[in-house]
Amino acid sequence: MTNGLPGAMRAMVLETPRSPLQLQQLPLPIPSPGQVLIRVIACGVCRTDLHIVDGELPSPKLPLIPGHEIVGMVVQNGARTDQFRPGDIVGIPWLGYTCGKCKYCLHEQENLCEQALFTGYTINGGYAEYTTACARYCFLLPTVYASAAGAPLLCAGLIGYRSWQMINQHAQHIGIYGFGAAAHIITQIAKYEHKSIYAFTRGDDTLAQMFAIELGAVWTGPSDQAPPVKLDAAIIFAPVGSLIPTALSHLDKGGQIICGGIHMSDIPSFPYRLLWEERSIRSVANLTRKDGELLFKAAAEAKVTTTIQQYKLSEANDALDDLRKGLIRGAAVLVPDHI
């Protein structure tokens, strides 16, 4: 142990896609210039992690420590790092690095950076006791979210809120397809803004439907059922391409569909009449640091709370399997085994 820090840590490691994560003992990472060393307090389990583990997203770093919804304490600074001090509680999101020089970075589209690196995908993430992160891409967390309950905000919240911001501010009747971690956060913000949420779930998933109503949805039903009103907009969080023509059929003129996932199954063909009358379909890619600033402000104003199911770090495979089976109410979060 050096400077009060251990020489090694435990981590859940993906050696090859479509195989279980392996619990391994690894050397403690050393922060490079511009980085901070973080003791992980909690790491959310995101559907993107599932896409990586299941081999649905190409070319992950291998071996890989997944996880990009990290809440942790700064324990050591690398050289040329003065944004944080040891003891600060920070959040580490999906976007881990951008070049700052490409045409996207120069036009406030760093989420599309050509040289971007992503936490828990192309750089090691938070399914571990410690991790390093570029300090410029960490958020100093408000006290209310400086715990395991804040972890889902670091991706489910960020991507959900970026999707939410793409909706016309005059939209009133908004559908959400797939009522998971992102939806349970956005529904609370929608209620605060006096918007009406229509929650669509898989088949007769009555537990998810009841959860949506508890959080403020005005209506719930299976994804193939028409809502009682025409929708002004819809956000699709479920990775199911066939939901796009279904959602289009539920949209009013000028309505918007926002696809909030990083992966989706193929979209089937559909008649042009569903898209006509200036309906639109738009995808969301990654996030920006500005999204984080706006989300934490909005979440605090709306008094957003998260519903989490905690798993020990060593139970990461169980958490992923429960997410795969649709058994998570709210969001799954990993915490170190010794807590």
Side-chain angles (χ1 to χ4, degrees), residues 171-201:
Q172 182 60 43
H173 301 289
I174 300 160
I176 294 181
Y177 292 78
F179 204 86
H184 100 286
I185 292 168
I186 290 305
T187 297
Q188 295 175 69
I189 293 175
K191 183 179 179 182
Y192 175 75
E193 295 183 2
H194 306 291
K195 307 286 188 179
S196 296
I197 291 293
Y198 300 77
F200 297 84
T201 66

Side-chain angles (χ1 to χ4, degrees), residues 270-282:
F270 54 86
Y272 176 66
R273 61 178 172 78
L274 294 180
L275 187 62
W276 190 59
E277 296 176 315
E278 301 195 350
R279 297 174 181 88
S280 64
I281 304 169
R282 184 174 181 180

Side-chain angles (χ1 to χ4, degrees), residues 16-101:
T16 57
R18 295 175 292 279
S19 63
L21 304 182
Q22 303 297 315
L23 181 61
Q24 297 183 7
Q25 190 92 352
L26 300 174
L28 196 72
I30 299 172
S32 300
Q35 290 187 327
V36 286
L37 176 64
I38 304 293
R39 177 174 62 79
V40 176
I41 294 172
C43 184
V45 178
C46 178
R47 184 162 291 277
T48 300
D49 301 335
L50 196 59
H51 293 316
I52 294 168
V53 171
D54 288 349
E56 294 169 333
L57 290 182
S59 307
K61 168 193 175 296
L62 292 174
L64 171 71
I65 301 173
H68 58 273
E69 297 181 325
I70 306 167
V71 174
M73 177 184 290
V74 176
V75 293
Q76 190 178 86
N77 285 11
R80 301 194 302 275
T81 306
D82 57 8
Q83 293 96 325
F84 303 110
R85 297 176 298 176
D88 285 343
I89 306 298
V90 299
I92 304 171
W94 170 251
L95 185 67
Y97 168 82
T98 59
C99 70
K101 300 176 182 178

